[in-house]
Amino acid sequence: MRRKDRILSPENTELLLQKGEYGVLSTMGEEYPYGVPVSYVYENGAVYIHCAIVGSKLENIIRNPKVSFCVVGATQVLPGDFTTNYESAVLFGKAEEVFAEEKQRAMELLVQKYSPEFMQKGLDYIKNADSRVKVIKITADHLTGKSRK
């Protein structure tokens, strides 16, 4: 990282990943890189996302499991200074599908993060959608965080 004064500590980088609302998953497509915003959870050094059982994300991950995942936290444009206060984290790692208990746990964490007041309804939804949903785990090889405040 060029600006060493902007590096987030590992603890603050993980905190940003835990509290972020959404992230951008970037995969390598056949012709172009492919970045797509997704909802996610972060636990124990890994990002979990859910998706349909077919699609560009999955095709790209099967072809090349190396991905990056970016989360942008709080931002504030400073027009008079021609800059922005921000915080961001980028995780570089490998993506793979998870199954059984790990898939169930990830789906429960997603419901807990995004719909905590509907936990029972979410558990019922998970049970009914299981065959129509895949869960992808991104295990971090390298993680960076940066901020300007």
Side-chain angles (χ1 to χ4, degrees):
M1 187 177 302
R2 185 179 63 81
R3 293 289 307 262
K4 303 293 184 199
D5 60 318
R6 303 237 170 117
I7 294 174
L8 276 178
S9 70
E11 297 80 20
N12 285 336
T13 301
E14 287 204 357
L15 183 60
L16 175 56
L17 283 167
Q18 289 168 356
K19 71 178 184 174
E21 187 176 348
Y22 73 94
V24 176
L25 172 66
S26 295
T27 60
M28 282 303 300
E30 286 189 68
E31 282 191 70
Y32 298 100
Y34 179 70
V36 62
V38 294
S39 55
Y40 74 98
V41 290
Y42 179 78
E43 183 178 66
N44 298 325
V47 167
Y48 291 90
I49 65 168
H50 72 292
C51 59
I53 60 173
V54 296
S56 296
K57 286 189 297 277
L58 292 175
E59 291 171 12
N60 293 346
I61 288 168
I62 290 166
R63 193 172 28 260
N64 183 350
K66 289 184 178 181
V67 300
S68 67
F69 187 79
C70 177
V71 173
V72 176
T75 63
Q76 178 190 17
V77 175
L78 303 171
D81 295 330
F82 307 102
T83 192
T84 301
N85 285 340
Y86 64 89
E87 56 183 358
S88 65
V90 180
L91 180 151
F92 300 91
K94 293 184 183 73
E96 64 181 326
E97 184 177 359
V98 295
F99 304 92
E101 294 84 18
E102 191 171 12
K103 177 181 179 181
Q104 179 71 26
R105 170 92 175 124
M107 293 296 292
E108 289 173 6
L109 288 170
L110 284 162
V111 172
Q112 190 173 42
K113 179 177 180 179
Y114 292 101
S115 303
E117 64 279 5
F118 299 100
M119 201 64 200
Q120 186 55 55
K121 187 176 180 181
L123 294 174
D124 294 340
Y125 184 85
I126 291 168
K127 185 177 172 183
N128 293 328
D130 186 62
S131 65
R132 299 184 317 271
V133 174
K134 291 190 183 240
V135 171
I136 303 299
K137 175 183 182 179
I138 305 165
T139 304
D141 291 332
H142 181 65
L143 185 59
T144 63
K146 189 175 176 183
S147 72
R148 181 188 188 284
K149 293 191 178 191

